[in-house]
Amino acid sequence: MRWALVKVCLAVTAMVVVAFAVPLGLVVKEMARDRAFAGAEREAAAVAPALSITTDRDKLERVVASAGADSGLSVHLPADGARAAIDLGPQRAADRDIRAVRRLGRASTTAVAGGSTLLQPVALGTGTIAVVEVYVPESEVANGVRTAWAVLAAVGLALIVGSVAVADRLGVRMVQPARRLAEGAHELGEGRLGARVPEDGPAELRLAAVAFNSMADQVVQLLHNERELAADLSHRLRTPLTVLRLNAASLGAGPAAEQTRAAVAQLEREVDTIIRTARDARPQTAAAGPGAGCDAAEVVRTRMEFWSALAEDEGRTWRVAGVDRPVRIPVARGDLAAALDALLGNVFRHTAEGTAFAVDVHNGEDAVIVLVSDAGPGITDPEAAMARGRGSGNTGSTGLGLDIVRRLAESTGGDVRIGASVLGGTEVRIWFQLDGRGPAGRGRRGAVRRRRRGKLVSTFNRPRSLP
């Protein structure tokens, strides 16, 4: 915006300078010409009284010499009876021009070599017309014109430079508050909730800064209220969890009892994690550093061991693939486990008993894909299913599970897609970007990633059979 203001001011000032300087320069040139010919007219007028008194050649020569013959003054008298025509001084104008002035009886100018001549008619006592010729060189006509043009150019250049300097200062005064506002918004978006901007600059930007600071205060207050609410709600779960833990302890031995006690213990840990996270006033927005994240293969194996017991009870066939070697992704272990539990919980909740399912992990060059597929009835409206809080309409569905998965994938620059599974039901594809630097698919690197993603997904979607 700063350079835009400078360019606009430069263009406007240049147009104004041209609009005024060029006509003014032409006026100066015309004034110099008029001044030169006015001097020539005065020289011609100095000879006119002598011509009206006498036509004697000797006397006229003395008059012409005293009037400035050396500067180009000449007199042309026509023939009169016995007296021949008299030409005093150098003749530069053509004979036809002299005859035309004598016939018309009014002065005129004509161009000659090196300048112009003024032809001034003078009536003689004999009734004839004499012509006084005054030579005006081009240097005299242009005297002072170049200096005037140079002065006008210097003044115009000074005006342009001054206007650019003023526009630059005004642009800085406008751009700096706008830049600070943009930087504050960027910092707030990165999670630095203490970001504020100075409330100065032009009135509009000052009002925008006031609104931004007020918005930031509201965001901080809303986040605080949300953390307190999450902590309070989680704390209320402790009582029913205690009852569940006591009941689970009384179930005795057996696989089902051990599974129930493990689930209650895990639920207690998750509630404790929620309370600690909600009470933490520092937003977790920093990017994962080198070595951060988890082994996706190990997390998948652990969660499948948990869900396999329930799958055997319900007669479900299941398969897991791609977990035979470590697969590092830039997300926390607990977050990935929660996302897998949300997807596998949806499989058990929304498909009939005996429905097969599978979990596949694919390690690409710059991304890791986790596929959770089943042989159920599928999802008729994937877009609606991805909308936060929509749910499926079934009892116990809040619509937050897929949104949790989506936000986890997008935190790495990836995404989540819902499509048709090769098993005949739903396939949820979680794309984790390994560099973790913003949304994938930007610029040239994004185009390469999209091409790789298309090749990778086409390979992943080849039919597979469950063991």
Side-chain angles (χ1 to χ4, degrees), residues 180-207:
R180 287 195 296 264
L181 187 62
E183 291 174 355
H186 183 68
E187 292 179 359
L188 187 65
E190 289 183 345
R192 294 193 282 273
L193 301 182
R196 299 294 185 274
V197 296
E199 299 173 359
D200 56 8
E204 293 79 4
L205 292 176
R206 188 165 58 251
L207 292 176

Side-chain angles (χ1 to χ4, degrees), residues 222-368:
L222 289 174
L223 289 177
H224 175 74
N225 295 340
E226 181 181 358
R227 286 193 296 267
E228 292 298 325
L229 179 61
D232 293 342
L233 293 177
S234 301
H235 193 272
R236 294 178 185 179
L237 295 176
R238 288 187 179 276
T239 300
L241 279 176
T242 302
V243 176
L244 287 176
R245 182 166 50 83
L246 295 175
N247 292 338
S250 63
L251 291 178
E258 292 298 330
Q259 181 181 358
T260 302
R261 283 191 285 270
V264 172
Q266 181 187 358
L267 186 56
E268 286 183 329
R269 290 193 298 270
E270 294 294 339
V271 170
D272 292 338
T273 301
I274 293 173
I275 294 175
R276 287 194 300 269
T277 303
R279 292 296 185 183
D280 188 1
R282 294 171 298 177
Q284 303 297 321
T285 57
C294 67
D295 181 5
E298 188 272 333
V299 175
V300 171
R301 287 196 304 268
T302 301
R303 300 320 302 155
M304 287 302 295
E305 289 175 2
F306 172 81
W307 289 99
S308 62
L310 183 58
E312 292 175 0
D313 292 341
E314 295 186 357
R316 296 176 182 267
T317 304
W318 58 275
R319 176 180 59 81
V320 61
V323 296
D324 53 341
R325 63 183 62 185
V327 180
R328 300 291 302 182
I329 60 174
V331 298
R333 186 184 189 284
D335 294 339
L336 179 60
L340 288 174
D341 288 341
L343 295 179
L344 294 174
N346 286 341
V347 172
F348 281 83
R349 186 179 302 112
H350 301 299
T351 61
E353 293 187 6
T355 302
F357 67 96
V359 178
D360 299 274
V361 179
H362 301 272
N363 190 7
E365 180 180 351
D366 59 354
V368 171

Side-chain angles (χ1 to χ4, degrees), residues 39-179:
E41 290 177 356
R42 287 193 299 271
E43 292 182 13
V47 180
L51 291 175
S52 62
I53 297 175
T54 180
T55 57
D56 183 70
R57 184 183 184 92
D58 295 334
K59 294 180 179 179
L60 291 177
E61 286 180 351
R62 290 195 295 271
V63 171
V64 170
S66 62
D70 293 340
S71 63
L73 178 66
S74 60
V75 178
H76 308 284
L77 282 76
D80 183 13
R83 180 177 56 80
I86 299 175
D87 293 310
L88 302 176
Q91 178 181 344
R92 294 179 175 83
D95 292 336
R96 64 178 182 275
D97 295 329
I98 297 175
R99 289 193 298 269
V101 170
R102 185 177 289 127
R103 184 178 65 254
L104 297 175
R106 63 172 179 267
S108 68
T109 59
T110 181
V112 296
S116 302
T117 59
L118 171 67
L119 300 177
Q120 180 69 43
V122 178
L124 301 178
T126 59
T128 58
I129 301 296
V131 177
V132 179
E133 177 184 351
V134 182
Y135 172 66
V136 181
E138 187 65 31
S139 59
E140 186 174 351
V141 173
N143 184 26
V145 175
R146 292 183 178 179
T147 302
W149 274 97
V151 172
L152 290 175
V155 172
L157 182 61
L159 288 175
I160 292 175
V161 172
S163 65
V164 168
V166 172
D168 182 69
R169 291 300 91 196
L170 292 176
V172 169
R173 185 171 177 266
M174 295 179 61
V175 168
Q176 283 183 348
R179 183 180 293 115

Side-chain angles (χ1 to χ4, degrees), residues 410-446:
E410 290 179 352
S411 67
T412 68
D415 59 16
V416 175
R417 300 290 176 87
I418 299 178
S421 167
V422 294
L423 301 180
T426 302
E427 177 184 84
V428 180
R429 187 204 66 181
I430 316 174
W431 180 284
F432 294 106
Q433 196 68 35
L434 293 183
D435 56 14
R437 301 297 296 176
R442 290 182 179 175
R444 183 177 178 182
R445 292 182 61 191

